[in-house]
Amino acid sequence: MDICAAGTMSEGVFPESFEIIPELINKEHTLILMDNDEAGKTCAAKWAEAGYKTIFIPEEYGAKDVSDLVLAVGFERAKEIVYQCLNLPIS
């Protein structure tokens, strides 16, 4: 299964910023993954208020973001963890 992704330039980018590209943002199919730090959690809360589903790397791994997770557990295990966060079968 392929997963399409788009990234924001920073945690200061909020949902209203995407009004110019509505074809990329569909609340039913969009998950917001922000860093596990204060700025990321604050930003994710704003996305959630706008009706988007937000997910985080589980804190038990001590990773702030996906790149930290890969360093901590390796690529394949990180992939499994992200798929679990997305509630998708691991492929």
Side-chain angles (χ1 to χ4, degrees), residues 10-53:
S10 74
E11 286 87 1
V13 177
F14 300 112
E16 61 272 9
S17 304
F18 284 105
E19 290 177 4
I20 59 171
I21 50 171
E23 64 274 6
L24 293 180
I25 301 301
N26 176 331
K27 290 182 185 181
E28 288 182 38
H29 302 289
T30 301
L31 299 169
I32 306 300
L33 172 64
M34 292 288 176
D35 290 351
N36 283 352
D37 58 12
E38 199 59 39
K41 290 177 181 180
T42 298
C43 184
K46 291 190 178 192
W47 282 89
E49 287 173 13
Y52 293 89
K53 181 178 179 188

Side-chain angles (χ1 to χ4, degrees), residues 78-89:
K79 180 179 170 183
E80 292 172 6
I81 293 165
V82 170
Y83 272 69
Q84 289 169 352
C85 290
L86 297 171
N87 292 317
L88 294 173

